[in-house]
């Protein structure tokens, strides 16, 4: 056992020496310290289940458009950043020097919280604790001692967190939308410029101005026109989306689209992804739905839109295939279609705006599209990550068992392990993102993003194309993992499905 521990887990002389010392001088049974090392890797095209769900029960499939049916290249985020930055300069009289900043695609991750009054961007875990080392003011990290002093610890009270939809309630705003990546980057860049030039500013005003500038990129149609003018530059994954829609259609499934985007933009994109007959695949198409208000506000009626964008005034008695509808609300949608309950599966990328109300209030099944998942799984499959996590878990188990030994020699070794564990925790964070780490985990706890994902999504995947790997009779089973008070007595768990005849394992 000592040989295995040294060879497979230990990478440093001090740890080997510590293991030898404790195995030789202390009486304990270390066989439980080694986590199972699996040679099986996670397939990035797997669909993962939070809740058991069978596709055999699904009769109707619904979709968001942006980052669900249509996937965008990084050029789009650069475009949004540049336009919003220029709006700040030209219309809000921000300094011309901001033009020195370009979009940084690897600076932020989704799911971060922003303290509007303190102008701090940070990652918070499922228990409302700030992950120290991930708090940034501008483009620079804030020292841990300063963070602890500002928040009187690292816990963020519920009353200053964002509201149910991630919007600013008192102090905090959570950025859950993929489109929010350029917004977070722009906030960081403007903060950085003001601090570098010793410019006194009001953080609340800065947040509101950046939010307005980013909103203008969408509301004024600037982004839509740019994408339509060069669609090949901005849209990707078209063939895979088309294949999913064809598969569902051939199997007699009803389909609908509910999106906040305008019809011209969706029509141009779907013509590129699917073809001019894309509307034949959908039984209902709703644009400019104003989600999440669409799911709660009963007051807005549906309005029919012609192919040329003309709004008609007639009362809607039926939602007809081939027609385009604007606004409306889910209650009217349910009344007109009768599509209720768990026979409906709706896919979207925004956990709050797309999925939360559907699963909590209306009993639809929900699927989250998480494009970042593919990159993170590829990192998890690397030898570096597997070895690092294996040794990190072993160190943690050693510390847990050996902390009872208080003699100086033991404490010296234990302190070495504590230091090494901290170094490895930082290393695992940096593997994913040097500033903020993984989208799904802090050091050991799930992130606040992960907590909401597990609550509001029955299944989640990197893209809709993952559906191509499963037949429409497939049942997704969540992996049963032991609760903290339960012994891990059951065998190694497999992932939620079978992909092309292979068992998929989570390492």
């Amino acid at each position: 056992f000592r040989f295995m521990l040294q060879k497979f887990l230990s990478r440093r002389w001090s740890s080997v020496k510590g293991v030898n010392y404790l195995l030789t001088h202390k009486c304990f049974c270390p066989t439980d310290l080694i986590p199972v090392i699996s040679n099986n890797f996670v397939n990035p095209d797997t669909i993962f289940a939070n809740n058991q769900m069978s596709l055999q029960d699904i009769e109707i499939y619904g979709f968001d458009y942006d980052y669900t049916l249509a996937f965008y290249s990084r050029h789009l985020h650069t475009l949004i950043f540049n336009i919003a930055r220029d709006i700040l300069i030209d219309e809000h009289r921000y300094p011309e020097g901001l033009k020195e900043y370009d979009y940084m695609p690897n600076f932020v991750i989704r799911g971060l919280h922003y303290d509007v009054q303190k102008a701090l961007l940070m990652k918070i875990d499922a228990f409302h604790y700030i992950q120290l080392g991930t708090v940034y003011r501008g483009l620079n990290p804030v020292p841990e001692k300063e963070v602890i002093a500002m928040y009187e610890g690292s816990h963020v009270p519920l009353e200053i967190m964002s509201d149910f939809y991630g919007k600013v309630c008192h102090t905090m705003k959570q950025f859950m939308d993929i489109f929010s990546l350029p917004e977070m980057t722009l906030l960081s860049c403007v903060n950085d410029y003001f601090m570098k030039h010793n410019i006194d500013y009001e953080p609340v005003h800065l947040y509101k101005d950046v939010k307005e500038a980013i909103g203008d990129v969408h509301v004024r149609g600037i982004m839509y026109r740019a994408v339509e003018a060069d669609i090949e530059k901005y849209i990707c994954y078209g063939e895979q989306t088309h294949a999913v829609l064809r598969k569902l259609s051939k199997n007699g499934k009803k389909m609908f689209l509910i999106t906040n985007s305008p019809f011209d933009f969706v029509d141009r994109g779907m013509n590129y992804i699917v073809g001019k007959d894309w509307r034949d695949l959908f039984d209902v198409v709703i644009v400019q739905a104003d989600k999440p208000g669409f799911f709660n506000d009963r007051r807005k009626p549906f309005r029919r839109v012609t192919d040329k964008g003309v709004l008609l005034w007639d009362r809607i008695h039926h939602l007809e295939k081939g027609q385009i509808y604007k606004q409306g609300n889910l209650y009217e949608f349910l009344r007109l279609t009768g599509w209720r309950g768990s026979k409906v599966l709706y896919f979207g990328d925004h956990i709050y705006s797309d999925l939360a109300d559907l699963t909590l209030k209306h009993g639809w099944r929900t699927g989250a599209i998480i494009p970042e998942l593919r990159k993170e799984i590829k990192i998890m499959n690397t030898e570096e990550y597997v070895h690092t996590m294996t040794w990190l878990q072993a160190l943690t188990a050693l510390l847990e068992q050996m902390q009872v030994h208080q003699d100086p020699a033991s404490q010296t070794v234990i302190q070495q392990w504590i230091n090494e564990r901290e170094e490895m925790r930082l290393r695992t964070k940096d593997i994913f993102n040097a500033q903020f780490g993984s989208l799904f985990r802090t050091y050991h706890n799930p992130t606040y993003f992960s907590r909401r994902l597990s609550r509001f999504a029955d299944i989640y995947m990197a893209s809709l194309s993952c559906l191509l790997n499963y037949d429409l009779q497939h049942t997704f089973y969540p992996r049963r993992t032991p609760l903290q008070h339960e012994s891990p007595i059951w065998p190694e768990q497999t992932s939620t499905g079978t992909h092309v005849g292979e068992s998929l394992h989570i390492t």
Side-chain angles (χ1 to χ4, degrees), residues 234-251:
Y234 294 108
I235 291 185
C236 46
Y237 298 140
E239 292 181 2
Q240 294 172 330
T241 298
H242 190 189
V244 171
L245 297 177
R246 286 201 313 268
K247 177 179 179 178
L248 296 176
S249 179
K250 287 180 180 178
N251 281 273

Side-chain angles (χ1 to χ4, degrees), residues 79 83 87 216-227:
L79 174 74
I83 295 173
I87 289 175
D216 284 344
V217 177
H218 298 269
V219 173
R220 297 180 186 178
I222 304 171
M223 183 195 81
Y224 302 134
R225 290 191 294 272
V227 172

Side-chain angles (χ1 to χ4, degrees), residues 22-189:
L22 288 171
L23 289 177
T24 302
H25 295 85
K26 304 298 175 184
C27 180
F28 76 109
C29 181
T31 54
D32 293 333
L33 298 182
I34 304 295
V36 175
I37 302 175
S38 173
N39 291 323
N40 298 304
F41 295 109
V42 184
N43 191 313
D45 291 321
T46 303
I47 294 177
F48 303 94
N50 291 319
N51 192 19
Q52 183 173 328
M53 187 189 77
S54 176
L55 294 181
Q56 187 173 2
D57 299 330
I58 305 301
E59 301 174 10
I60 305 111
Y61 287 77
F63 305 93
D64 183 29
Y65 176 70
D66 297 303
Y67 286 105
T68 300
L69 293 175
F71 276 77
Y72 299 102
S73 69
R74 284 188 171 182
H75 297 296
L76 183 62
H77 288 170
T78 301
L79 174 74
I80 295 171
F81 177 92
N82 290 341
I83 295 173
R85 178 200 59 201
D86 293 345
I87 289 175
L88 286 178
I89 296 169
D90 298 337
E91 300 181 21
H92 295 270
R93 298 186 297 174
Y94 275 66
E96 288 280 342
L98 289 176
K99 290 188 175 181
E100 300 172 2
Y101 291 88
D102 295 318
Y103 180 64
M104 297 173 286
N106 297 315
F107 181 68
V108 297
I109 61 173
R110 191 155 51 125
L112 299 178
H113 281 78
Y114 184 74
D115 190 321
V116 174
Q117 296 179 352
K118 294 182 175 67
L120 298 177
L121 192 63
M122 67 191 73
K123 188 164 75 169
I124 295 177
D125 73 11
F127 301 96
H128 293 200
Y129 281 91
I130 299 167
Q131 181 179 358
L132 297 176
T134 68
V135 180
Y136 274 72
R137 181 183 289 115
L139 302 178
N140 298 301
V142 180
E144 293 182 8
K145 289 184 178 179
E146 186 177 340
V147 174
I148 291 171
M150 282 190 289
Y151 291 95
E152 299 180 348
S154 60
H155 184 262
V156 180
L158 178 63
E159 59 265 22
I160 70 169
M161 294 287 285
S162 54
D163 73 358
F164 183 77
Y165 296 103
K167 297 178 181 178
V168 175
C169 185
H170 295 284
T171 299
M172 291 285 188
K173 154 74 178 178
Q174 188 182 20
F175 290 101
M176 296 293 278
D177 191 353
I178 300 176
F179 279 126
S180 67
L181 296 175
E183 182 176 356
M184 286 186 278
T185 306
L186 184 56
L187 274 169
S188 299
C189 289

